[in-house]
Structures are given as structure tokens and as C-alpha cells.
Amino acid sequence: EAQVTQNPRYLITVTGKKLTVTCSQNMNHEYMSWYRQDPGLGLRQIYYSMNVEVTDKGDVPEGYKVSRKEKRNFPLILESPSPNQTSLYFCASGTGRQETQYFGPGTRLLVL
Amino acid sequence: AQSVSQHNHHVILSEAASLELGCNYSYGGTVNLFWYVQYPGQHLQLLLKYFSGDPLVKGIKGFEAEFIKSKFSFNLRKPSVQWSDTAEYFCAVNPHMGRRALTFGSGTRLQVQP
């Protein structure tokens, strides 16, 4: 089954403790992206990657890092999480600019 | 940078009522346009998309949207809503050229009462 998977689905952590949210897709998509969803703000793009080793900032990249060492994986790294990064995070993948993006199930993060 | 406005934040309708959700974008060039839906507790799913050609596009579940270039709008419509349409709806755009960011609107929460 074609899908985007994220782990973990739920995470509670404390300020400053590094964490990684994994994202994997099995559709051989070149394009992958991370978004955060906050009430009243919709989804905002954090980072995206057009292919292996090619990443670029989205609209809200501060406090996040990404890497794209393999085509299927695009982990999101929070080196020193802060409470303002409490949010619902979605990973997505697609084949090209004009193609549909397929979204993962989301990761709900709470930073205390 | 492009931006997307969804002016209806919360819409409440009765079953069988007609629906129109507004979406306006700001960008000087050619864009791709999307409507996504997020059912309670689920991830986003594509409803419909417009890239070029006929400005009236039809999507899944009886939804359609019309691209009006002169108004920078891409409104979503459905003639008769059902209780199962209760969800949050997001309009999104990305430009044909330049950075491949997909910009979303803030969303419209639709509540359909039986």
C-alpha cells in the first residue's frame, strides 16, 4: 500500500531534549516536505527536499533541521525543542510540482 | 511570497444545504491550486486540484471548484452537503516557478448538522 509513515505519532518531551521525528514514503517520490499545523494558522511549511541531498527552507524553518540521505526518508530534527514548537507535524511526499502531495498521519508533539 | 486567505473560519450548515467556501491567493505569477480536506482525527487528503485548462474542476465526493484568475480566487462548492462532509478544508497554492513551497490557507471548519 502506497503511504507516508511517521513515527512517533505522539510525543511528550521537555525543553532542550533533542528529538527526531521520522518520515518514510514507499512511493519513490522525489519531493518530501514537513509542515506544522497550528489552530488558526493552517499548515505552514518547515522544510522541503526536492531530492536526495537537496533540501531548502520553507516558511518557518527556525529551530528545525532536516536531512535527506535516502530517497525514502526525510527525518525532522529538533536540536533543542522549546514550548513554541508544540504542534501537530505532517510529513508529505510527491513526484513533482504539479502533483498531489500525500500526507502522513501526523505527529502530535508537546514540549513542556 | 504567495499567501492564501480563507475568510470563512467556521461554517455551520444543515444537511442538503449548498456549500461555498472562499479562497483567495496573492501571487503575481501562474499557480497551481489545491483543496485538501482533513476529517476529524485524520490526515489531509486531496479533494481537487487545478493546474491549467478548464477553470471549473471537479473532485471527489461531489466537490467542485472554480478558478477565477481575475479575482485570484479558487472557491470550493458542493450543491448538497452531507453530515459526513464535516471536516476542515484547506486551500493551498504553489507557484509554477521558483521555490516549490506549498502555501496553505488557515482552513475552514465545516460542521454539517443532521
Side-chain angles (χ1 to χ4, degrees), chain A residues 44-107:
Chain A
R44 294 177 292 168
Q45 192 173 46
I46 302 170
Y47 269 95
Y48 66 97
S49 168
M50 294 175 67
N51 213 326
V52 175
E53 303 291 1
V54 180
T55 64
D56 202 356
K57 296 177 181 179
D59 296 319
V60 288
E62 294 77 19
Y64 304 95
K65 285 176 56 178
V66 293
S67 69
R68 187 88 182 275
K69 292 181 170 40
E70 304 168 282
K71 199 171 187 179
R72 65 181 291 127
N73 296 323
F74 190 46
L76 179 69
I77 303 157
L78 284 72
E79 294 271 3
S80 183
S82 62
N84 65 12
Q85 292 178 298
T86 292
S87 187
L88 178 59
Y89 291 87
F90 287 100
C91 180
S93 73
T95 56
R97 182 189 301 274
Q98 292 190 330
E99 292 298 320
T100 304
Q101 289 194 39
Y102 295 87
F103 284 80
T107 295

Side-chain angles (χ1 to χ4, degrees), chain B residues 45-113:
Chain B
Q45 303 170 43
L46 182 71
L47 266 182
L48 48 79
K49 58 188 177 185
Y50 172 80
F51 297 148
S52 63
D54 188 345
L56 183 62
V57 293
K58 295 191 184 299
I60 61 172
K61 304 187 181 187
F63 286 91
E64 65 178 31
E66 184 176 14
F67 171 49
I68 303 179
K69 189 174 182 179
S70 61
K71 294 185 178 180
F72 297 89
S73 70
F74 190 56
N75 292 354
L76 181 70
R77 300 195 291 249
K78 185 172 184 178
S80 176
V81 295
Q82 300 172 314
W83 177 79
S84 58
D85 293 324
T86 294
E88 191 153 17
Y89 294 81
F90 294 93
C91 181
V93 303
N94 71 359
H96 277 203
M97 304 293 291
R99 188 162 69 90
R100 286 179 56 183
L102 184 64
T103 301
F104 283 82
S106 57
T108 297
R109 185 174 299 278
L110 172 65
Q111 184 178 345
V112 180
Q113 296 176 332

